[in-house]
Amino acid sequence: MKRFSLFALLVGIAVSTQALELSSNDMHEGRLLSKAQEFNGFGCAGDNISPHLKWLNLPEGTKSISITAYDPDAPTGSGWWHWLVVNLPANTSELPTGVSGKLKQGLEVETDYGTPGFGGACPPPGHGMHRYQFTVWALNTDKLDVNADTPAAIVGYMLNNAVIAKDTLTATYAR
């Protein structure tokens, strides 16, 4: 995706910037998650393995990265947070498959399952297709002032106040 600034167009200079882009080897836009990314508990019997995530084209001014996984279709009235990773250094460009619980940098915050780390998909049986939004956040701050038990809604609020760019990959799942 190419973007041009109004100033650049007015002076006849074509300045190209690429938008932040999130991808994964383990999941694809609009496609079903595998059993590997299903939760193990709450009646689900998946492997609960965090997916590979890779991002490109961080904007200038990025000071840290965060990752979230969120289900807006959970029958809670407020969705369901499945993964919150904050305070990754700006030079981070990828998280390998299964890294949850083994991060050397950054912080995993408590999810709606009540523990920090990746908590896979586990929609109620017969509830229909759920969307799982994996988002990479480029932030204008070196560190969010949170700890592992900061409520997910507070983390979401802080992310939205510090974001300079983000991209979301949405996968699906049903039982």
Side-chain angles (χ1 to χ4, degrees), residues 10 13-14 33-34 63 73 91 100 110 116 149 152:
L10 289 174
I13 304 169
L33 290 168
S34 73
K63 294 183 179 178
D73 304 312
N91 64 355
S100 182
E110 186 173 292
D149 62 357

Side-chain angles (χ1 to χ4, degrees), residues 38-121:
E38 182 183 293
F39 191 63
N40 191 328
F42 279 55
C44 290
D47 297 325
N48 201 48
I49 297 172
S50 60
H52 166 263
L53 296 171
K54 183 176 183 171
W55 48 95
L56 303 168
N57 306 318
L58 289 174
E60 188 174 327
T62 300
K63 294 183 179 178
S64 69
I65 303 294
S66 289
I67 301 292
T68 58
Y70 176 75
D71 173 4
D73 304 312
T76 64
S78 60
W80 191 274
W81 292 96
H82 287 265
W83 200 19
L84 299 109
V85 181
V86 299
N87 302 336
L88 291 168
N91 64 355
T92 308
S93 61
E94 186 170 16
L95 292 179
T97 301
V99 74
S100 182
K102 304 171 197 161
L103 287 174
K104 296 197 184 323
Q105 296 181 302
L107 172 69
E108 291 182 283
V109 179
E110 186 173 292
T111 70
D112 286 336
Y113 286 117
T115 57
F118 180 74

